[in-house]
Amino acid sequence: MKTRFAPDRGLSSRMLITSFLLGLLYVGFVALLIALTKSAVLAVVIAGGALFVQYWFSDRIALYAMHGRIVTPEEAPELHGTIDRLCALADMPKPRVAIADVDLPNAFATGRNPKNAVVCVTTGIMRRLDQDELEGVLSHELSHVAHRDVAVMTIASFLGVLAGLITRFGLYGGLGRNRDQNTAVIVLTVIAVSIAVYAISFLLTRALSRYRELAADRAGAMLTGRPSALASALTKISGDIARIPSRDLRQAEPFNAFFFAPAISGKAGASLSSLFSTHPSLEKRLDRLGVLSRELGEQA
């Protein structure tokens, strides 16, 4: 799908490389499962079933978890109007529009492809941002849809989810009930490999997630021509998220990779290594937007 969002070859190459490496990891993981469980059918059912659910129902799962619901133009005319204008400007299909009734100021895009995409905003972000700031956030989210990195992130996170499920199953299910020494060795081997696969896929998807946020910041700001509005939204949201109760932030953390801004407090975010974060630091995002603002000003 060709749109007016600025193409990003760096993002495209990173998505391709990440998908290729995870694909190799996935094939090796399934092969090991087949060898250790002595059941190709079981391994394929586990892997295929998990991938099918995550790919085809990712939008519904995300909306359900965030208490979001699809809204009509009659229910949210201003929100639909803004997305209509941005989609016309970007020359892209309009995604479904959803609102999550939570105070956490955030937004996310989900869906397996542009035709099945959903852009969701929370009531918290709509209440806090002005029109220009909200437009900047929505343009950022629409760029994720246009660049197809939402689908890539959904698939990329699948292997980690699968490895995590198998690890839990082995620890709390098979290991405790198996008395046979050979079976116990097999279970322990599967658990060890699952942990290693989870760790590798975790690092790969986090690296991709950080870059795609910078790419969406740039593409979204270039589409609207107002990097300062997006920078203002980032500053405001990040400050307000730090005041959200920790319990609410913990509930939202599993979706950090898809959020506009990570659901972590300012203190926690500062102490985390950039290697494990889903987003670049606020300072880096603001610096990049500042450079882009000057570039656009020079061209004007």
Side-chain angles (χ1 to χ4, degrees), residues 11-243:
L11 177 61
S12 298
S13 62
R14 281 169 172 80
M15 290 194 296
L16 181 62
I17 292 170
T18 300
S19 299
F20 176 74
L21 293 176
L22 287 173
L24 289 178
L25 200 61
Y26 173 64
V27 170
F29 186 49
V30 172
L32 183 64
L33 280 180
I34 293 174
L36 293 176
T37 62
K38 307 299 182 181
S39 174
V41 174
L42 177 61
V44 171
V45 167
I46 292 174
L51 178 59
F52 177 83
V53 170
Q54 184 153 346
Y55 181 71
W56 286 93
F57 300 104
S58 59
D59 53 341
R60 300 180 192 180
I61 294 171
L63 287 178
Y64 176 80
M66 286 301 298
H67 309 289
R69 66 182 183 89
I70 302 296
V71 293
T72 65
E74 291 73 25
E75 293 174 297
E78 292 185 5
L79 179 60
H80 269 273
T82 301
I83 293 179
D84 283 336
R85 291 193 299 273
L86 289 172
C87 287
L89 185 62
D91 191 23
M92 66 179 289
K94 181 183 178 182
R96 288 173 292 164
V97 180
I99 294 178
D101 188 17
V102 295
D103 188 51
L104 177 70
N106 232 314
F108 64 91
T110 184
R112 62 185 182 275
N113 56 47
K115 292 183 179 180
N116 294 278
V118 179
V119 171
C120 181
V121 297
T122 66
T123 51
I125 199 173
M126 294 175 67
R127 186 173 64 253
R128 288 172 171 88
L129 301 186
D130 63 30
Q131 178 60 31
D132 287 344
E133 291 167 341
L134 183 60
E135 186 177 81
V137 172
L138 291 172
S139 183
H140 169 106
E141 295 303 329
L142 288 172
S143 75
H144 281 314
V145 175
H147 289 150
R148 297 179 181 269
D149 58 67
V150 174
V152 173
M153 281 297 297
T154 298
I155 297 173
S157 62
F158 152 72
L159 188 56
V161 172
L162 176 61
L165 288 174
I166 291 176
T167 301
R168 292 188 185 97
F169 175 77
L171 288 174
Y172 301 113
L175 186 60
R177 292 196 299 268
N178 287 309
R179 302 294 182 181
D180 181 75
Q181 184 176 359
N182 291 334
T183 304
V185 170
I186 291 175
V187 172
L188 285 172
T189 303
V190 171
I191 291 173
V193 173
S194 297
I195 292 173
V197 168
Y198 178 82
I200 295 171
S201 62
F202 178 89
L203 294 175
L204 287 173
T205 53
R206 290 301 170 98
L208 176 60
S209 178
R210 290 191 297 274
Y211 187 89
R212 84 184 192 111
E213 292 303 325
L214 292 175
D217 283 349
R218 180 175 179 83
M222 288 184 69
L223 183 73
T224 63
R226 291 192 294 272
S228 60
L230 182 56
S232 176
L234 267 171
T235 303
K236 190 179 293 186
I237 290 171
S238 298
D240 286 349
I241 283 178
R243 292 189 285 271

Side-chain angles (χ1 to χ4, degrees), residues 222-281:
M222 288 184 69
L223 183 73
T224 63
R226 291 192 294 272
S228 60
L230 182 56
S232 176
L234 267 171
T235 303
K236 190 179 293 186
I237 290 171
S238 298
D240 286 349
I241 283 178
R243 292 189 285 271
I244 298 293
S246 297
R247 181 189 62 183
D248 297 336
L249 293 179
R250 285 195 297 271
Q251 291 176 348
E253 278 181 6
F255 294 94
N256 268 350
F258 297 94
F259 280 149
F260 171 69
I264 54 176
S265 67
K267 183 178 180 180
S271 63
L272 289 175
S273 168
S274 60
L275 186 65
F276 303 110
S277 63
T278 56
H279 291 63
S281 66

